[in-house]
Every structure is written in C-alpha cells, then in structure tokens.
Amino acid sequence: MIEKVLIANRGEIALRVIRTCRALGIKTVAVYSDEDANSLHVKQATESYHIGEAAPAKSYLNQEKILEVMLSSGADAIHPGYGFLSENDDFARLCEKNKINFIGPSADSMNLCGDKMKCKAAMLKAGVPTVPGSPGLVKDAKDAARIANDIGYPVMLKSVYGGGGRGIRIVNNDKELHGGYESVTGESIAAVGKSAILVEKFLEKTRHIEYQMARDMHGNTVHIFERECSIQRRNQKLIEQTPSPVVDEETRARIGQLVCNAADAVDYTNLGTAEFLRADNGEFYFIEINARLQVEHPITEYVSGLDLVKLQIDIANGEPMPFRQEDLRMNGYAIECRINAEDTFLDFAPSTGPVPDVNIPAGPGVRCDTYLYPGCTVSPFYDSLMAKLVTWGQTFEESRSRMLAALDDFYIQGVETSIPLYKTILGSKEYKNGNLSTDFLKRYGMVDRLAEDLKKEKELKAEAAVAAAMAYSEYFKSRVQGAGQGWKR
Ligand code: ADP
Ligand code: ADP
Ligand code: MG
C-alpha cells in the first residue's frame, strides 16, 4: 500500500495532489526549483527537497535527480501531475525498474498513447473512428503536400509527440505547407527532442469533447462522462464544462462504450482522457489519449462526486474499481475557467511578476485550485496557469451565474489575467445558448467584444464619479444656504 508519495510537479496541481494525500493519511514529498523556494507546495508537503535551477530541464524534468530524491526520501510512489514528466514513458520505465509505484499507466501503454499515429492505428483496429488523414507518418514536406492534396486542404500538420497545443499547425494550401512543416518540426524538437509528422483533415466548426476514463489492473473499465472543452485559444483550452450541451444520454452511453473499448485496446491502467472532435453533423472522431490526470478534472469531480486523485491512488494500489458503470450518476452542471497570467490584448502573451495581493473566491458551489497567495510571484519559467476557478450548479444557469459572480470576486494584483475575457464570454448569448466551437473566440469576435465591454465599464465608472461629485456639491450648497437657519429635514 502506498504510504509516501513524491509529487514531481509544482503549482496548483502539486497542491491538489497533496490535499488528497493528506485526507488519506499519506505522507508527501515535494520537490522544487530555485524559483519555487517560497511556493505553497513546498510548505504544504510533509517533506520538501530542492532539485535544481529554475529552467525545467534543470529541475522538474531532471529524471535522475528526482529518482535520487525518491530513493533517499523513502517515497514508495510518485504522482507526476500533468505536463513535465507525466507522459514520459522513459521516466515511467525508470520508476518501474526501481520498484517505485508510478501513479499512472504502464510505460508500454503510455508509449503507445504518447504517439498520436500509433494510437490512432490502435483505435481504428478497435473500431473507434479517427480523423481522416495520412495512413502513416509523412517522409518530408513534399510527401505531406501530396497527402494534403489527396485529402484536400485545409489540413492539420501534427507532430505525433506534440501536446498542450504545441506541435500542431493548420495549413490552407501548398504555399503554407512548407513553413508549417518547418515550425511543427521545430516546436516538437524544442519540446521533446524529436519530431515525426502526420497529416489530418482539418475539421471545421468542430467541438472538442473528451471523456474521462478509468481502468483498474483487473481489466474493469468505466467512463466518467464527457467534458466539453471547445473554448480555446491557439488550440489550448480556456473554459471547460460538463455535461456538454450537445451530448444526450444515448450519445453519452454510445461514445462512452467506445472509450472503454479504446482503453481496453491499449491495455490502459489508471485514469486517462480520450479526446474527440465532434463535427457539426454530430459525428465523433478520436484525436488522442492523454495518459494522465487532466487539468480540467475538477468539473468531473463536481458532477460525479468522486475524488479522482483518490481513485488514481486506489487503482495504483491494485484495488478493483470501487463501482460499476451503472453506479455512476451525473449530478448537476460544472464549469471551469483557467485563470491564466496573460494579456489578452497582446495576443495572450504571458504576464509575470510579483502578486502583492489576491482575493480568492469562495462560496456555495465555488472551488478554486490555485498556488496564489498574497506576496507570491508568477514565474516566467513555467505554465501561465495560476488558478482553476470551478463552479457547480443544479442547473447550467446556476453554474454560469455563480461563475460570473466568482470572476467578479477574484482579485489578482500585479499581473494581467484572463478574468476580464471570461466575464465577456460567460456573459455572451452565444455561450449561454451553447453555440460552442473550437474557433469560438474568433467566430464571435470575443477579444473585440472584451475591448468594448472594458470601454463601457470605464464610461460607466466615469459617469458614476461625475454623478457622485454633483450630488456632493448639491448637498454642500444646501448646507451653506441653510446655515444659520438650523437643520432642515
Ligand atoms: P489538458 O487538457 O490537460 O490541458 P494539454 O495536452 O492541453 O492537456 O496540456 C497539458 C497541460 O500541461 C497544459 O495545461 C500545459 O500547459 C501543461 N504543461 C505543459 N508543460 C508544463 C510545464 N512545464 N509546467 C506546468 N504545466 C505544463
Ligand atoms: P494536443 O496534443 O496539443 O492537445 P490535439 O491533437 O489534442 O493536440 O489537438 C488540440 C486541439 O487542436 C483540439 O482541441 C482542436 O481544437 C484542434 N484540432 C486538432 N486536430 C484537429 C483537426 N484535425 N481538425 C480541426 N481541429 C483540430
Ligand atoms: Mg489534446
């Protein structure tokens, strides 16, 4: 049984894992870089160890160093969080070799899931529909152009090793293809040191709908419903919700069964996510499996009532799935906003630096997973995600209005944030009506609408200030005129 977990991550996800371990009476070991010496996860863990310089390659990606801490601290398991080493099958194998329980799938299964091409092939074999595209990897840009002309532009070039919106590019014609090929190759090599490219049909006006899945070591598989993650920028998720407005009971069960087949096909263990694109005609196409805990897992926790990190630990302990598919019920509506440190008007460029003060929202149906505290710093070395603001409601409307109120309540001093943009989006009729698609921001000109909203807000504030000044001067005049006549009521 797991008694001490090393968390090979930082930020909100390290805190999230520590929280569940505490509740289960499991000891925790934090690791941190120079940059994170004052971070909350370092204070909250049972033990903490410095592992190197700020740059991820020198700390959170340093496998040997992390292994060394694991062995010397006597941790018997490792939780990788998301990002960093979470989907690195070499690292999972290194843990297996050293008899450390890696809380996630086996190295072999991870290797298969981590390769978009191999995984698509396995899905096709299991009868799961995938996005039409090249039958295998393309040899070079010329080969990619030939296939692109076959399937018809626009196409998506993807590195099989890409992730987090990096290593993928839309290309509209032969002219754009060469530049696109170069940049996908470059990004992939920069991120993981290698590149291999596939071509996919670019599906227009699609929704990103994914399924949470779980499979234990005894072959029991369940899906824990869908999440709609169509509100994105640069192919990265911003706002997620569950249930999806376009998934009914029948579809939920039908695609859910495909997801369970998919998990069986790659002999998956622990929690994972199967991602799909849903075309406008209602067809679902598999895109990839994320072999780890997903950023947006809290919305699934809200509607399922489960602690997904606990479920991960139970499965890693070899326990059988504590419920069957038919025991799972979806309750209510949940929304997550990823609160990023970025400037919407500078093309979402990161905004970093000290945060002298914060106010973190709370209240019924409001959850905020964050590393922020008054006096902390947002580092330029890591992900721009500062907080995940999550709300639950008995109806979609309750969840949405709680989110709007919580966004108002959220105050972060010192850096630009995505909060104003989310207020505009959550307040729009398109969002309310569930008219979602992965090009939502561009399709409805959300950034321009934010600029208008901010201008209006400024004007209203100015008007209110003038009105207050006028009222005061009237009051003052009446006092002067009335002087010597006693108080008038
Ligand atoms: P998800 O749906 O869970 O966001 P993605 O494939 O989009 O899945 O990306 C995984 C997450 O890991 C993203 O939020 C990404 O920004 C994050 N990530 C990637 N690299 C790092 C890192 N170095 N530190 C923290 N988070 C990271
Ligand atoms: P990553 O590994 O970076 O998460 P994905 O393959 O999951 O990459 O794709 C990320 C996003 O890119 C999707 O959510 C979707 O918005 C868009 N996308 C990916 N493939 C396609 C496609 N074939 N057609 C249209 N959009 C796509
Ligand atoms: Mg993805």
Side-chain angles (χ1 to χ4, degrees):
M1 293 297 266
I2 293 171
E3 284 174 10
K4 195 174 192 180
V5 175
L6 182 141
I7 298 138
N9 216 302
R10 63 179 300 281
E12 68 83 19
I13 197 63
L15 288 162
R16 166 70 192 88
V17 175
I18 291 171
R19 212 163 265 146
T20 286
C21 288
R22 260 196 185 150
L24 298 176
I26 295 172
K27 293 196 191 77
T28 51
V29 179
V31 292
Y32 64 96
S33 67
D34 286 348
E35 193 80 351
D36 278 330
N38 294 317
S39 293
L40 274 186
H41 75 282
V42 177
K43 300 186 180 101
Q44 298 278 11
T46 323
E47 297 164 32
S48 298
Y49 298 90
H50 176 248
I51 51 166
E53 293 170 32
K58 299 260 169 80
S59 48
Y60 298 105
L61 289 173
N62 186 340
Q63 303 186 27
E64 291 71 31
K65 184 72 196 174
I66 292 172
L67 180 70
E68 191 187 302
V69 174
M70 217 142 37
L71 296 172
S72 65
S73 67
D76 46 22
I78 175 159
H79 195 299
Y82 54 73
F84 296 128
L85 294 169
S86 63
E87 292 180 279
N88 186 315
D89 56 292
D90 290 335
F91 183 64
R93 201 161 282 118
L94 187 68
C95 294
E96 281 172 15
K97 254 192 225 145
N98 285 278
K99 304 264 177 295
I100 286 160
N101 196 338
F102 182 90
I103 303 175
S106 70
D108 288 341
S109 182
M110 187 184 280
N111 177 280
L112 182 52
C113 295
D115 185 319
K116 288 182 204 260
M117 195 75 234
K118 278 197 224 160
C119 195
K120 274 179 82 173
M123 290 307 121
L124 277 177
K125 225 173 127 189
V128 182
T130 64
V131 182
S134 52
L137 298 174
V138 298
K139 286 197 274 304
D140 49 30
K142 231 171 107 187
D143 194 25
R146 188 181 55 77
I147 291 166
N149 281 293
D150 268 3
I151 54 179
Y153 285 108
V155 299
M156 200 105 181
L157 295 182
K158 286 190 184 178
S159 164
V160 299
Y161 311 114
R166 279 152 296 209
I168 60 180
R169 200 64 94 252
I170 306 170
V171 294
N172 292 296
N173 48 50
D174 282 349
K175 232 170 128 189
E176 285 178 21
L177 192 130
H178 286 267
Y181 195 93
E182 296 294 309
S183 53
V184 169
T185 307
E187 268 179 32
S188 184
I189 290 177
V192 289
K194 52 188 175 178
S195 170
I197 291 177
L198 65 96
V199 181
E200 258 177 18
K201 179 87 190 152
F202 178 76
L203 300 176
E204 283 170 89
K205 195 153 190 258
T206 51
R207 291 168 180 259
H208 175 117
I209 297 180
E210 61 183 32
Y211 275 70
Q212 178 68 59
M213 60 178 189
R215 190 163 178 271
D216 66 18
M217 291 174 185
H218 316 281
N220 300 306
T221 315
V222 297
H223 74 83
I224 315 175
F225 322 124
E226 81 283 0
R227 295 184 284 253
E228 169 141 10
C229 318
S230 298
I231 306 229
Q232 307 183 343
R233 57 124 174 73
R234 296 201 203 113
N235 301 314
Q236 287 179 312
K237 300 158 187 167
L238 293 178
I239 302 175
E240 301 95 344
Q241 67 189 63
T242 185
S244 160
V246 292
V247 174
D248 55 21
E249 275 299 331
E250 183 276 324
T251 309
R252 180 165 304 122
R254 181 168 49 88
I255 305 297
Q257 185 54 53
L258 282 183
V259 167
C260 293
N261 299 348
D264 293 341
V266 296
D267 194 17
Y268 197 88
T269 43
N270 219 295
L271 265 62
T273 295
E275 296 189 329
F276 294 84
L277 293 179
R278 179 193 177 275
D280 222 13
N281 64 5
E283 295 292 329
F284 277 73
Y285 298 96
F286 171 89
I287 45 174
E288 66 162 344
I289 289 178
N290 289 144
R292 54 173 162 82
L293 188 66
Q294 200 92 345
V295 173
E296 55 276 22
H297 76 276
I299 59 174
T300 300
E301 297 192 312
Y302 255 148
V303 298
S304 68
L306 296 168
D307 176 337
L308 293 183
V309 174
K310 177 177 187 301
L311 186 58
Q312 285 192 301
I313 292 172
D314 289 345
I315 291 176
N317 268 326
E319 287 175 23
M321 196 75 69
F323 42 73
R324 289 159 305 174
Q325 187 68 57
E326 55 269 32
D327 300 326
L328 294 174
R329 290 273 174 280
M330 213 173 185
N331 178 31
Y333 294 74
I335 303 172
E336 173 182 274
C337 286
R338 297 191 187 195
I339 311 297
N340 295 331
E342 63 189 21
D343 189 335
T344 309
F345 297 113
L346 287 179
D347 199 20
F348 308 101
S351 168
T352 59
V355 174
D357 200 9
V358 294
N359 183 54
I360 294 171
V366 177
R367 163 176 172 180
C368 188
D369 286 18
T370 182
Y371 67 74
L372 294 172
Y373 64 86
C376 72
T377 299
V378 175
S379 166
F381 285 94
Y382 312 112
D383 205 40
S384 61
L385 182 81
M386 294 181 287
K388 303 188 309 203
L389 186 57
V390 193
T391 58
W392 179 89
Q394 267 168 334
T395 60
F396 172 68
E397 202 34 46
E398 187 175 45
S399 173
R400 191 186 70 90
S401 51
R402 280 177 171 169
M403 181 58 82
L404 276 169
L407 287 167
D408 265 336
D409 207 6
F410 213 157
Y411 169 63
I412 305 174
Q413 189 184 27
V415 293
E416 296 296 331
T417 80
S418 46
I419 292 173
L421 176 64
Y422 295 158
K423 287 193 208 170
T424 295
I425 293 176
L426 271 280
S428 72
K429 61 178 187 307
E430 293 84 356
Y431 182 77
K432 252 191 275 188
N433 295 340
N435 290 337
L436 310 179
S437 54
T438 55
D439 63 351
F440 182 92
L441 259 62
K442 281 215 177 83
R443 179 177 294 265
Y444 300 118
M446 282 295 156
V447 175
D448 292 340
R449 282 162 70 171
L450 165 64
E452 273 167 41
D453 285 352
L454 292 177
K455 203 174 131 211
K456 257 186 244 152
E457 198 181 297
K458 225 172 158 182
E459 282 166 9
L460 284 176
K461 265 191 197 151
E463 275 170 31
V466 170
M470 300 268 283
Y472 184 74
S473 95
E474 286 301 318
Y475 164 75
F476 190 72
K477 259 194 269 166
S478 73
R479 295 250 340 236
V480 172
Q481 281 163 359
Q485 298 170 28
W487 286 102
K488 279 187 196 156
R489 286 244 156 207

